[in-house]
Coordinates of all heavy atoms in Angstrom, one line a residue:
M1 N 91.2 88.4 88.7 CA 91.0 89.8 88.9 C 92.3 90.5 89.3 O 93.2 89.9 89.8 CB 90.0 90.0 90.1 CG 88.6 90.3 89.7 SD 87.7 90.7 91.2 CE 86.2 91.2 90.3
K2 N 92.3 91.8 89.0 CA 93.4 92.6 89.3 C 93.2 93.3 90.7 O 92.1 93.5 91.2 CB 93.7 93.7 88.3 CG 94.1 93.1 86.9 CD 94.2 94.2 86.0 CE 95.5 94.1 85.2 NZ 95.8 95.2 84.3
N3 N 94.3 93.7 91.3 CA 94.3 94.6 92.5 C 93.8 96.0 92.1 O 93.9 96.4 90.9 CB 95.6 94.7 93.1 CG 96.0 93.6 93.9 OD1 95.2 92.8 94.4 ND2 97.3 93.4 94.1
S4 N 93.2 96.7 93.0 CA 92.9 98.1 92.7 C 94.1 98.9 92.5 O 95.3 98.5 92.9 CB 92.0 98.6 93.9 OG 92.7 98.7 95.0
K5 N 93.9 100.0 92.0 CA 95.1 100.9 91.7 C 95.8 101.3 93.1 O 97.0 101.3 93.2 CB 94.6 102.2 91.0 CG 95.7 103.2 90.6 CD 95.1 104.4 89.9 CE 96.2 105.3 89.6 NZ 95.6 106.5 88.9
K6 N 95.0 101.6 94.1 CA 95.6 102.0 95.4 C 96.4 100.8 96.0 O 97.4 101.0 96.6 CB 94.5 102.4 96.4 CG 93.8 103.7 96.1 CD 94.7 104.8 96.4 CE 94.1 106.1 96.1 NZ 95.1 107.2 96.1
T7 N 95.9 99.6 95.9 CA 96.6 98.4 96.4 C 97.9 98.3 95.7 O 99.0 98.0 96.3 CB 95.8 97.2 96.2 OG1 94.5 97.4 96.9 CG2 96.4 96.0 96.9
D8 N 97.9 98.4 94.4 CA 99.1 98.3 93.6 C 100.2 99.4 94.1 O 101.4 99.1 94.2 CB 98.9 98.4 92.1 CG 98.3 97.1 91.6 OD1 98.5 96.1 92.2 OD2 97.6 97.2 90.5
Q9 N 99.7 100.6 94.3 CA 100.6 101.7 94.7 C 101.2 101.4 96.1 O 102.3 101.6 96.3 CB 99.8 103.0 94.8 CG 99.5 103.5 93.4 CD 98.6 104.7 93.5 OE1 97.9 105.0 94.5 NE2 98.5 105.5 92.4
I10 N 100.3 100.9 97.0 CA 100.8 100.5 98.3 C 101.8 99.4 98.3 O 102.9 99.4 99.0 CB 99.7 100.1 99.3 CG1 98.8 101.4 99.6 CG2 100.1 99.5 100.6 CD1 97.5 101.1 100.3
L11 N 101.6 98.4 97.4 CA 102.5 97.3 97.3 C 103.9 97.8 96.8 O 104.9 97.3 97.2 CB 101.9 96.2 96.4 CG 100.8 95.4 96.9 CD1 100.3 94.5 95.9 CD2 101.3 94.6 98.2
K12 N 103.9 98.7 95.8 CA 105.1 99.3 95.3 C 105.9 100.0 96.3 O 107.1 99.9 96.4 CB 104.8 100.2 94.0 CG 104.5 99.4 92.8 CD 104.2 100.4 91.7 CE 103.7 99.6 90.5 NZ 103.3 100.5 89.4
E13 N 105.2 100.8 97.1 CA 105.8 101.5 98.2 C 106.4 100.6 99.3 O 107.5 100.8 99.8 CB 104.9 102.5 98.9 CG 105.5 103.4 100.0 CD 106.7 104.2 99.5 OE1 106.7 104.7 98.3 OE2 107.7 104.4 100.3
L14 N 105.6 99.5 99.6 CA 106.2 98.5 100.5 C 107.5 97.8 100.0 O 108.4 97.6 100.7 CB 105.1 97.4 100.8 CG 103.9 97.8 101.7 CD1 102.9 96.7 101.7 CD2 104.4 98.2 103.1
N15 N 107.5 97.6 98.7 CA 108.7 97.1 98.0 C 109.9 98.1 98.1 O 111.0 97.7 98.4 CB 108.4 96.8 96.6 CG 109.4 95.9 95.9 OD1 110.2 95.3 96.6 ND2 109.6 96.0 94.7
R16 N 109.5 99.4 97.9 CA 110.6 100.3 98.1 C 111.2 100.4 99.5 O 112.3 100.8 99.7 CB 110.1 101.8 97.7 CG 110.0 102.0 96.2 CD 109.6 103.4 95.9 NE 108.8 103.4 94.7 CZ 107.5 103.7 94.6 NH1 106.8 104.2 95.7 NH2 106.9 103.7 93.5
Q17 N 110.3 100.1 100.5 CA 110.8 100.2 101.9 C 111.3 98.9 102.4 O 111.5 98.8 103.6 CB 109.6 100.6 102.7 CG 109.1 102.1 102.5 CD 108.2 102.6 103.5 OE1 108.2 102.2 104.7 NE2 107.3 103.5 103.1
G18 N 111.6 98.0 101.5 CA 112.3 96.8 101.9 C 111.5 95.5 102.0 O 112.2 94.4 102.2
C19 N 110.2 95.5 101.8 CA 109.4 94.3 101.8 C 109.7 93.6 100.5 O 109.8 94.2 99.4 CB 108.0 94.6 102.1 SG 107.6 95.3 103.6
T20 N 109.6 92.3 100.5 CA 109.7 91.5 99.3 C 108.3 91.1 98.9 O 107.5 90.6 99.7 CB 110.5 90.2 99.5 OG1 111.8 90.6 100.0 CG2 110.6 89.4 98.3
I21 N 107.9 91.4 97.7 CA 106.6 91.1 97.1 C 106.7 90.0 96.1 O 107.4 90.0 95.2 CB 106.0 92.3 96.4 CG1 106.1 93.6 97.3 CG2 104.6 92.0 96.0 CD1 105.3 93.6 98.6
K22 N 106.0 88.8 96.5 CA 106.1 87.7 95.6 C 104.6 87.4 95.1 O 103.7 87.3 96.0 CB 106.6 86.4 96.3 CG 108.1 86.5 96.6 CD 108.7 85.3 97.1 CE 110.2 85.4 97.4 NZ 110.7 84.2 97.8
E23 N 104.5 87.3 93.8 CA 103.1 87.0 93.3 C 103.1 85.6 92.7 O 104.0 85.1 92.1 CB 102.8 88.0 92.2 CG 102.8 89.4 92.6 CD 102.4 90.3 91.6 OE1 101.6 90.0 90.7 OE2 102.8 91.5 91.7
K24 N 102.0 84.9 93.0 CA 101.8 83.5 92.5 C 100.4 83.2 92.4 O 99.6 83.3 93.4 CB 102.5 82.5 93.5 CG 102.5 81.1 92.9 CD 103.3 80.1 93.8 CE 103.2 78.8 93.2 NZ 104.0 77.8 94.0
K25 N 100.0 82.9 91.2 CA 98.6 82.7 90.8 C 97.7 83.8 91.4 O 97.8 85.0 90.9 CB 98.1 81.3 91.4 CG 98.8 80.2 90.6 CD 98.2 78.9 90.9 CE 98.9 77.8 90.3 NZ 98.4 76.5 90.5
N26 N 96.8 83.6 92.3 CA 95.9 84.6 92.8 C 96.3 85.2 94.1 O 95.4 85.8 94.8 CB 94.5 84.0 93.0 CG 93.9 83.7 91.6 OD1 94.2 84.5 90.6 ND2 93.0 82.8 91.5
N27 N 97.5 85.0 94.6 CA 98.0 85.5 95.8 C 99.2 86.4 95.7 O 100.0 86.2 94.8 CB 98.3 84.4 96.8 CG 97.1 83.5 97.1 OD1 96.0 84.0 97.3 ND2 97.4 82.3 97.3
V28 N 99.3 87.3 96.6 CA 100.5 88.2 96.7 C 101.0 88.0 98.1 O 100.3 88.2 99.1 CB 100.2 89.6 96.5 CG1 101.4 90.6 96.6 CG2 99.6 89.9 95.1
L29 N 102.3 87.6 98.2 CA 102.9 87.4 99.5 C 103.8 88.6 99.8 O 104.7 88.9 99.1 CB 103.7 86.1 99.5 CG 104.4 85.7 100.9 CD1 103.4 85.4 101.9 CD2 105.3 84.4 100.6
I30 N 103.6 89.2 101.0 CA 104.4 90.3 101.4 C 105.3 89.8 102.5 O 104.9 89.4 103.6 CB 103.5 91.4 101.9 CG1 102.6 91.9 100.8 CG2 104.4 92.6 102.4 CD1 101.5 92.8 101.3
I31 N 106.6 89.8 102.3 CA 107.6 89.4 103.2 C 108.4 90.5 103.7 O 109.1 91.2 103.0 CB 108.6 88.3 102.6 CG1 107.8 87.2 101.9 CG2 109.6 87.8 103.6 CD1 108.6 86.3 101.1
P32 N 108.3 90.9 105.0 CA 109.0 92.0 105.6 C 110.4 91.8 105.7 O 110.9 90.7 105.7 CB 108.3 92.2 106.9 CG 107.8 90.9 107.3 CD 107.5 90.2 106.0
P33 N 111.2 92.9 105.7 CA 112.6 92.8 105.9 C 113.1 92.3 107.3 O 114.2 91.8 107.5 CB 113.2 94.2 105.6 CG 112.1 95.0 105.9 CD 110.8 94.3 105.6
D34 N 112.2 92.4 108.3 CA 112.5 92.0 109.7 C 112.1 90.5 109.8 O 111.0 90.1 109.6 CB 111.6 92.8 110.6 CG 111.8 92.5 112.0 OD1 112.8 91.7 112.3 OD2 111.0 93.0 112.9
P35 N 113.1 89.6 110.1 CA 112.8 88.2 110.2 C 111.8 87.9 111.4 O 111.2 86.8 111.4 CB 114.2 87.6 110.4 CG 115.1 88.7 110.9 CD 114.5 90.0 110.4
E36 N 111.6 88.8 112.3 CA 110.7 88.6 113.4 C 109.3 88.8 113.0 O 108.4 88.2 113.6 CB 111.1 89.4 114.6 CG 112.5 89.2 115.2 CD 112.6 87.9 115.9 OE1 111.6 87.5 116.6 OE2 113.6 87.2 115.7
A37 N 109.1 89.6 112.0 CA 107.7 89.9 111.6 C 107.1 88.8 110.7 O 107.8 88.2 110.0 CB 107.6 91.3 110.9
D38 N 105.8 88.7 110.8 CA 105.1 87.7 110.0 C 104.9 88.1 108.5 O 104.7 89.3 108.3 CB 103.8 87.3 110.6 CG 103.9 86.7 111.9 OD1 104.9 86.0 112.2 OD2 103.0 86.9 112.8
A39 N 104.9 87.2 107.6 CA 104.5 87.5 106.2 C 103.0 87.7 106.1 O 102.3 87.2 107.0 CB 105.0 86.4 105.3
Y40 N 102.6 88.4 105.1 CA 101.2 88.6 104.9 C 100.7 88.2 103.5 O 101.4 88.5 102.5 CB 100.8 90.1 105.1 CG 99.3 90.4 105.0 CD1 98.5 90.1 106.0 CD2 98.8 91.1 103.8 CE1 97.1 90.4 105.8 CE2 97.5 91.3 103.7 CZ 96.6 91.0 104.7 OH 95.3 91.2 104.6
T41 N 99.7 87.5 103.3 CA 99.1 87.0 102.1 C 97.9 87.9 101.7 O 97.0 87.9 102.5 CB 98.8 85.5 102.1 OG1 99.9 84.7 102.5 CG2 98.3 85.1 100.7
L42 N 98.0 88.5 100.6 CA 96.9 89.3 100.0 C 96.4 88.5 98.8 O 97.1 88.1 97.9 CB 97.5 90.7 99.6 CG 96.5 91.6 98.9 CD1 95.5 92.1 99.9 CD2 97.2 92.8 98.3
H43 N 95.1 88.3 98.8 CA 94.4 87.6 97.7 C 94.2 88.6 96.6 O 93.6 89.7 96.8 CB 93.2 86.9 98.1 CG 93.4 85.9 99.2 ND1 94.0 84.7 99.0 CD2 93.3 86.0 100.5 CE1 94.1 84.0 100.1 NE2 93.7 84.8 101.1
R44 N 94.5 88.2 95.4 CA 94.3 89.1 94.2 C 92.9 89.5 94.0 O 92.7 90.7 93.6 CB 94.8 88.3 92.9 CG 96.2 88.5 92.6 CD 96.4 90.0 92.2 NE 97.6 90.1 91.5 CZ 98.3 91.2 91.3 NH1 97.8 92.3 91.9 NH2 99.4 91.3 90.6
N45 N 91.9 88.7 94.3 CA 90.6 89.1 94.0 C 90.0 89.9 95.2 O 88.8 90.3 95.1 CB 89.7 87.9 93.7 CG 89.7 86.9 94.8 OD1 90.3 87.1 95.8 ND2 89.0 85.8 94.6
D46 N 90.7 90.1 96.3 CA 90.3 90.9 97.4 C 90.6 92.4 97.1 O 91.8 92.9 97.3 CB 90.9 90.5 98.7 CG 90.4 91.2 99.9 OD1 89.4 91.9 99.7 OD2 91.0 91.1 101.0
R47 N 89.7 93.2 96.6 CA 90.0 94.6 96.3 C 89.9 95.5 97.5 O 90.2 96.7 97.4 CB 89.0 95.0 95.2 CG 89.1 94.2 93.9 CD 88.1 94.6 92.9 NE 88.3 96.0 92.5 CZ 89.1 96.4 91.5 NH1 89.8 95.5 90.8 NH2 89.1 97.6 91.2
H48 N 89.4 95.0 98.6 CA 89.3 95.9 99.8 C 90.7 95.9 100.5 O 91.2 94.9 100.9 CB 88.3 95.3 100.7 CG 88.1 96.1 102.0 ND1 87.6 97.4 101.9 CD2 88.4 95.9 103.2 CE1 87.5 97.9 103.1 NE2 88.1 97.0 104.0
I49 N 91.2 97.1 100.6 CA 92.7 97.2 101.1 C 92.7 97.4 102.6 O 93.8 97.5 103.1 CB 93.4 98.2 100.3 CG1 92.8 99.6 100.5 CG2 93.6 97.9 98.9 CD1 93.7 100.7 99.9
G50 N 91.6 97.5 103.2 CA 91.5 97.8 104.7 C 92.3 96.8 105.5 O 93.0 97.2 106.4
A51 N 92.2 95.5 105.1 CA 92.8 94.5 105.9 C 94.3 94.7 105.8 O 95.1 94.5 106.7 CB 92.4 93.1 105.4
L52 N 94.8 95.0 104.6 CA 96.3 95.1 104.4 C 96.7 96.4 105.2 O 97.8 96.3 105.8 CB 96.5 95.4 102.9 CG 97.9 95.8 102.6 CD1 99.0 94.7 102.9 CD2 98.0 96.1 101.0
I53 N 96.0 97.5 105.2 CA 96.4 98.6 105.9 C 96.4 98.3 107.5 O 97.4 98.7 108.2 CB 95.4 99.8 105.6 CG1 95.7 100.2 104.2 CG2 95.7 101.0 106.6 CD1 94.7 101.3 103.7
D54 N 95.4 97.7 108.0 CA 95.3 97.3 109.4 C 96.5 96.4 109.8 O 97.1 96.7 110.8 CB 94.1 96.7 109.7 CG 92.8 97.6 109.7 OD1 93.1 98.8 109.7 OD2 91.7 97.1 109.6
Y55 N 96.9 95.5 108.9 CA 98.0 94.6 109.2 C 99.3 95.4 109.3 O 100.1 95.2 110.2 CB 98.0 93.5 108.2 CG 98.9 92.3 108.6 CD1 98.4 91.3 109.3 CD2 100.3 92.3 108.2 CE1 99.3 90.3 109.7 CE2 101.1 91.3 108.6 CZ 100.6 90.3 109.4 OH 101.4 89.2 109.7
C56 N 99.5 96.2 108.3 CA 100.7 97.0 108.3 C 100.8 97.9 109.5 O 101.9 98.1 110.1 CB 100.8 97.9 107.0 SG 101.1 96.9 105.5
L57 N 99.7 98.6 109.9 CA 99.7 99.5 111.0 C 100.0 98.7 112.3 O 100.7 99.2 113.2 CB 98.4 100.2 111.2 CG 98.2 101.3 110.1 CD1 96.7 101.7 110.2 CD2 99.1 102.5 110.3
K58 N 99.5 97.5 112.4 CA 99.7 96.8 113.6 C 101.1 96.0 113.7 O 101.8 96.1 114.7 CB 98.6 95.8 113.8 CG 98.6 95.0 115.1 CD 97.5 94.0 115.2 CE 96.3 94.7 115.9 NZ 95.2 93.8 116.2
R59 N 101.5 95.4 112.6 CA 102.6 94.5 112.6 C 103.9 95.0 112.1 O 105.0 94.6 112.4 CB 102.3 93.1 111.9 CG 101.1 92.5 112.3 CD 101.4 91.7 113.6 NE 100.2 91.1 114.2 CZ 99.7 89.9 114.0 NH1 100.4 89.1 113.2 NH2 98.7 89.5 114.6
Y60 N 103.8 96.0 111.2 CA 105.0 96.5 110.5 C 105.4 97.9 111.0 O 106.1 98.6 110.3 CB 104.8 96.5 109.0 CG 104.6 95.1 108.4 CD1 104.2 95.0 107.1 CD2 104.9 94.0 109.1 CE1 104.0 93.7 106.5 CE2 104.8 92.7 108.6 CZ 104.3 92.6 107.3 OH 104.1 91.4 106.7
N61 N 104.8 98.4 112.1 CA 105.0 99.8 112.5 C 106.5 100.1 112.9 O 106.8 101.3 112.9 CB 104.0 100.2 113.6 CG 104.3 99.4 114.9 OD1 105.1 98.5 114.9 ND2 103.5 99.6 115.8
H62 N 107.3 99.2 113.2 CA 108.6 99.5 113.6 C 109.6 99.6 112.5 O 110.8 100.1 112.7 CB 109.1 98.4 114.6 CG 109.1 97.0 114.1 ND1 107.9 96.3 114.0 CD2 110.1 96.2 113.6 CE1 108.2 95.1 113.4 NE2 109.5 95.1 113.1
F63 N 109.2 99.4 111.3 CA 110.2 99.6 110.2 C 109.7 100.3 109.0 O 110.4 100.7 108.1 CB 110.9 98.3 109.7 CG 109.9 97.3 109.2 CD1 109.5 97.3 107.9 CD2 109.5 96.3 110.0 CE1 108.7 96.4 107.4 CE2 108.6 95.3 109.5 CZ 108.2 95.4 108.2
L64 N 108.3 100.5 108.9 CA 107.8 101.3 107.8 C 107.7 102.8 108.0 O 107.5 103.2 109.1 CB 106.3 100.8 107.5 CG 106.2 99.4 106.9 CD1 104.7 99.1 106.7 CD2 106.9 99.3 105.6
N65 N 107.9 103.5 106.9 CA 107.7 105.0 107.0 C 106.3 105.3 106.6 O 106.0 105.3 105.4 CB 108.7 105.6 106.0 CG 108.6 107.1 106.1 OD1 107.7 107.7 106.7 ND2 109.7 107.8 105.5
F66 N 105.4 105.6 107.6 CA 104.0 105.8 107.3 C 103.7 107.1 106.6 O 102.7 107.3 106.0 CB 103.1 105.6 108.6 CG 103.1 104.3 109.0 CD1 103.6 103.9 110.2 CD2 102.4 103.2 108.3 CE1 103.6 102.6 110.7 CE2 102.4 102.0 108.7 CZ 103.0 101.6 109.9
Q67 N 104.7 108.1 106.7 CA 104.5 109.3 106.0 C 104.5 109.1 104.5 O 103.8 109.8 103.8 CB 105.6 110.3 106.5 CG 105.4 110.8 107.9 CD 104.0 111.4 108.2 OE1 103.6 112.2 107.4 NE2 103.4 110.9 109.2
K68 N 105.4 108.2 104.0 CA 105.4 108.0 102.6 C 104.2 107.2 102.1 O 103.7 107.3 101.0 CB 106.7 107.2 102.2 CG 107.9 108.0 102.3 CD 109.1 107.3 101.8 CE 110.3 108.2 101.9 NZ 111.6 107.6 101.5
L69 N 103.6 106.3 103.0 CA 102.5 105.5 102.7 C 101.2 106.4 102.8 O 100.2 106.0 102.2 CB 102.4 104.3 103.6 CG 103.3 103.2 103.2 CD1 103.4 102.2 104.4 CD2 102.9 102.4 102.0
K70 N 101.3 107.5 103.5 CA 100.1 108.3 103.7 C 99.5 108.9 102.4 O 98.3 109.0 102.3 CB 100.5 109.4 104.7 CG 99.4 110.4 105.1 CD 99.9 111.4 106.0 CE 98.9 112.5 106.3 NZ 99.4 113.5 107.3
K71 N 100.4 109.1 101.5 CA 99.9 109.7 100.2 C 99.1 108.7 99.4 O 98.3 109.1 98.5 CB 101.1 110.3 99.4 CG 102.0 109.3 98.9 CD 103.1 110.0 98.1 CE 104.2 109.0 97.7 NZ 105.3 109.7 97.1
Y72 N 99.2 107.4 99.7 CA 98.4 106.4 99.0 C 97.0 106.1 99.7 O 96.1 105.7 99.0 CB 99.2 105.1 98.8 CG 100.5 105.4 98.0 CD1 101.7 105.2 98.7 CD2 100.5 105.8 96.7 CE1 102.9 105.5 98.0 CE2 101.6 106.0 96.0 CZ 102.8 105.9 96.7 OH 103.9 106.1 96.0
H73 N 97.0 106.3 101.0 CA 95.7 106.1 101.7 C 95.8 106.9 103.0 O 96.7 106.8 103.8 CB 95.5 104.6 102.0 CG 94.1 104.2 102.2 ND1 93.5 104.5 103.4 CD2 93.2 103.7 101.4 CE1 92.2 104.1 103.3 NE2 92.0 103.7 102.1
K74 N 94.7 107.6 103.3 CA 94.7 108.5 104.5 C 94.7 107.7 105.8 O 95.2 108.3 106.8 CB 93.4 109.3 104.4 CG 92.1 108.5 104.5 CD 90.9 109.4 104.4 CE 89.6 108.6 104.4 NZ 88.5 109.4 104.2
R75 N 94.3 106.4 105.8 CA 94.4 105.7 107.1 C 95.9 105.5 107.6 O 96.0 105.3 108.8 CB 93.7 104.4 107.0 CG 92.2 104.6 107.0 CD 91.5 103.2 106.8 NE 91.8 102.3 107.8 CZ 91.4 101.0 107.7 NH1 90.8 100.6 106.7 NH2 91.8 100.1 108.6
F76 N 96.9 105.5 106.7 CA 98.2 105.4 107.2 C 98.6 106.7 108.0 O 99.6 106.7 108.7 CB 99.2 105.3 106.0 CG 99.2 103.9 105.5 CD1 98.8 103.6 104.2 CD2 99.6 102.8 106.2 CE1 98.8 102.3 103.7 CE2 99.7 101.5 105.8 CZ 99.3 101.3 104.5
G77 N 97.9 107.8 107.7 CA 98.3 109.1 108.4 C 98.0 109.0 109.9 O 98.6 109.8 110.7
S78 N 97.1 108.2 110.4 CA 96.8 108.1 111.8 C 97.9 107.4 112.6 O 97.9 107.5 113.8 CB 95.4 107.5 112.0 OG 95.5 106.1 111.5
G79 N 98.7 106.7 111.9 CA 99.8 105.9 112.6 C 99.3 104.6 113.2 O 98.1 104.3 113.2
P80 N 100.2 103.9 113.8 CA 99.8 102.6 114.3 C 99.0 102.7 115.6 O 99.1 103.7 116.4 CB 101.1 101.9 114.7 CG 102.2 103.0 114.7 CD 101.6 104.1 113.9
K81 N 98.0 101.9 115.8 CA 97.2 101.8 117.0 C 97.5 100.6 117.7 O 97.6 99.5 117.2 CB 95.7 101.8 116.6 CG 95.3 103.1 115.9 CD 93.8 103.3 115.9 CE 93.3 104.5 115.4 NZ 93.6 105.4 114.6
N82 N 97.7 100.7 119.0 CA 98.0 99.6 119.9 C 96.9 98.9 120.5 O 95.9 99.3 120.7 CB 99.1 100.0 120.9 CG 100.4 100.4 120.3 OD1 100.7 99.9 119.2 ND2 101.1 101.3 120.9

């Protein structure tokens, strides 16, 4: 299965902001530019992007520009929640 259009747009923006995106079989590995932050694995057949957004808001809030991500999904507009 393919990712949804919104997921692909978010992955492209994460790549522009310095994250490394590696695809292998049915998984997409998101490696942040910060060595302290954990990598995230997104399964290709998981079309629900809520988990990816929640992870980014919680773990990647210190280096991502959420204003640029906001145009791809409205939940990025609320900013990180602690």
Side-chain angles (χ1 to χ4, degrees):
M1 258 187 176
K2 289 179 138 184
N3 281 336
S4 67
K5 183 178 178 181
K6 289 288 182 190
T7 305
D8 286 337
Q9 290 173 340
I10 290 170
L11 288 174
K12 285 180 185 175
E13 182 59 35
L14 288 174
N15 191 24
R16 282 187 212 114
Q17 293 192 28
C19 292
T20 304
I21 310 295
K22 292 187 178 183
E23 298 184 32
K24 187 172 181 181
K25 294 190 180 179
N26 289 330
N27 295 325
V28 177
L29 183 64
I30 303 168
I31 304 169
D34 181 9
E36 298 291 319
D38 296 329
Y40 182 75
T41 302
L42 176 71
H43 300 285
R44 269 294 200 198
N45 59 1
D46 185 11
R47 297 177 62 88
H48 182 67
I49 61 174
L52 172 62
I53 293 172
D54 289 342
Y55 193 86
C56 288
L57 288 171
K58 185 180 267 190
R59 304 281 171 96
Y60 296 167
N61 62 357
H62 56 284
F63 61 85
L64 287 182
N65 182 348
F66 290 113
Q67 290 305 312
K68 289 185 178 179
L69 284 163
K70 182 180 175 181
K71 66 183 174 183
Y72 301 113
H73 202 283
K74 63 183 177 183
R75 282 179 58 193
F76 281 118
S78 62
K81 296 199 172 28
N82 295 330

